[in-house]
Amino acid sequence: MGATIYAYIEYDDAPEYYPAGSVPEPFAQESDRVIDLTTNVGLSHAKDYVFLGAIGGPRNPKGLAPLIRPRGLPPNVNWRISKDFDPQDPMVGWLTPLEIEAALDHMEIRREELSFGLQVTLDLLQLLGDRLGPERVRFVFEMGD
C-alpha cells in the first residue's frame, strides 16, 4: 500500500464579476467554485512521493524539510471541502499555486518528474492563477500513508 493524496482546487472568480476597484478580498465571500479531484486516481494514487514530500507529506525521498508544512484548512473554505477533510488531521493542508512552485523549487523538483495527472493538476492551478490571481486559487489536500 502506498501514500495517497485527495484534493480539491478551490478558486474565487470574483474578479470576473466585479468592476475594477470594487473586487472583494480573496475568498471573502462564500463561493461554490471547487474542482473535486478526490476521485482522480491519476492524482491520488500516482505515487508522486517527491511531490508529497515537497508539500509536507509522507515518504519524502529527498530527505529535506518541506518549505511549508500542512496547515489545516484555509480560512473561509468551501463547505464541501470542510465536510470531506478533518481540519485537525495533521496531513490536511492547502497551498496557492505560487507556494506549490516554491515548494517544488525548494526540493529541486521539475514538473517533468511528476505524473501526468499531477502535471495536469498543476497546469490547471497555473491557468486559474494566471486568470484570477494566484491568491484566489488554492490546492486543498489531505494525504494518507
Side-chain angles (χ1 to χ4, degrees):
M1 186 121 185
T4 56
I5 183 167
Y6 300 100
Y8 287 91
I9 294 174
E10 183 181 25
Y11 61 98
D12 176 356
D13 61 355
E16 298 290 312
Y17 304 104
Y18 286 84
S22 65
V23 180
E25 291 294 314
F27 298 99
Q29 303 179 97
E30 188 172 322
S31 173
D32 198 27
R33 306 295 194 254
V34 296
I35 300 169
D36 184 349
L37 302 171
T38 60
T39 59
N40 183 331
V41 175
L43 175 66
S44 65
H45 292 78
K47 309 303 176 232
D48 281 302
Y49 296 132
V50 291
F51 178 74
L52 296 180
I55 64 171
R59 308 215 183 179
N60 179 350
K62 298 275 184 170
L64 298 171
L67 189 63
I68 303 168
R69 294 196 178 277
R71 51 190 169 183
L73 292 175
N76 301 324
V77 70
N78 180 275
W79 66 271
R80 291 191 304 183
I81 300 171
S82 65
K83 177 178 69 79
D84 283 352
F85 295 163
D86 177 2
Q88 304 305 316
D89 186 323
M91 289 289 107
V92 169
W94 63 279
L95 296 165
T96 67
L98 295 177
E99 290 172 331
I100 291 173
E101 291 304 320
L104 293 174
D105 288 346
H106 172 72
M107 293 282 191
E108 299 179 351
I109 300 167
R110 296 183 337 271
R111 282 190 184 206
E112 301 81 43
E113 298 175 53
L114 304 172
S115 70
F116 177 75
L118 186 51
Q119 288 182 44
V120 170
T121 300
L122 295 177
D123 288 346
L124 183 55
L125 285 163
Q126 183 173 351
L127 175 74
L128 288 166
D130 289 348
R131 172 103 187 222
L132 303 171
E135 71 284 354
R136 293 186 179 275
V137 181
R138 342 190 245 212
F139 181 74
V140 186
F141 59 88
E142 178 177 56
M143 295 181 281
D145 193 19

